[in-house]
Amino acid sequence: MSIALALGLALSPVLALQSVTLVDGPKPDANGLAAEYGSGVCRISVFGKDADGEKIRAEFARRLRDGNLSVSLYGPFIQQFQDADPEENFPVTVAFDTGSSAPSRSGGYDVGGFRESVWGGWGPGEASDATYAALRGASSFSVSMDGNTYGPFTWTGTGAVWAALDDCETENS
């Protein structure tokens, strides 16, 4: 076998992947939300655009065993943070259209892996419960972290993100 043929066979799977379109995340329903459940966690995604007009996704996740609430942001904007220290704490603040806001206990950049994101978490207990309750009256929110703001993320129906998380919890408890 020639070197060229061997090299061509070795590269063919890589070249074939260049023509595959990878889909990132769930697709929104008529309200603009996408629900997922797995490993004891309910996830509700809301979609928006970043400052460059690129599609981004915000995902609220609630762990059923203890109520821990977190938010993650996914999109091409994360590429600018490839050199961020994933061990450094960068809490986020979620600002709701109701005028309330919720600073997270922890947060940061999840870079260098398969699903890169910006994330923030409130931890089990009072802070998660208060942020979860704030979702009940909201119809949009923005997320700020490390001098950057993302959103607004909007959907149809006041409290729809809270209702979707509540429905998921009821169905999977």
Side-chain angles (χ1 to χ4, degrees):
M1 178 184 310
S2 74
I3 293 175
L5 179 59
L7 186 58
L9 289 174
L11 289 177
S12 63
V14 174
L15 295 174
L17 282 177
Q18 290 180 347
S19 65
V20 175
T21 301
L22 300 176
V23 178
D24 183 30
K27 299 295 179 212
D29 64 10
N31 293 331
L33 304 176
E36 294 180 293
Y37 173 78
S39 302
V41 178
C42 292
R43 295 173 187 84
I44 305 300
S45 292
V46 184
F47 302 85
K49 297 199 184 270
D50 65 13
D52 296 327
E54 297 286 336
K55 182 178 172 183
I56 57 174
R57 176 171 61 97
E59 175 187 271
F60 271 102
R62 184 166 162 90
R63 192 168 52 210
L64 299 186
R65 70 178 161 86
D66 61 7
N68 184 31
L69 189 70
S70 65
V71 66
S72 298
L73 303 177
Y74 302 92
F77 72 91
I78 195 70
Q79 294 171 0
Q80 65 186 323
F81 301 109
Q82 291 302 305
D83 294 330
D85 181 356
E87 300 300 318
E88 191 169 348
N89 188 27
F90 290 100
V92 305
T93 297
V94 175
F96 298 101
D97 62 326
T98 59
S100 67
S101 64
S104 69
R105 175 185 74 181
S106 57
Y109 298 98
D110 187 359
V111 293
F114 184 68
R115 292 185 57 175
E116 298 181 322
S117 65
V118 164
W119 65 275
W122 287 266
E126 191 176 311
S128 280
D129 294 344
T131 305
Y132 181 60
L135 280 166
R136 192 172 197 155
S139 58
S140 73
F141 65 88
S142 295
V143 178
S144 299
M145 179 182 146
D146 194 22
N148 299 294
T149 300
Y150 306 95
F153 298 92
T154 60
W155 57 87
T156 302
T158 300
V161 171
W162 178 89
L165 283 167
D166 188 62
D167 289 348
C168 177
E169 187 169 351
T170 300
E171 291 171 13
N172 296 291
S173 293

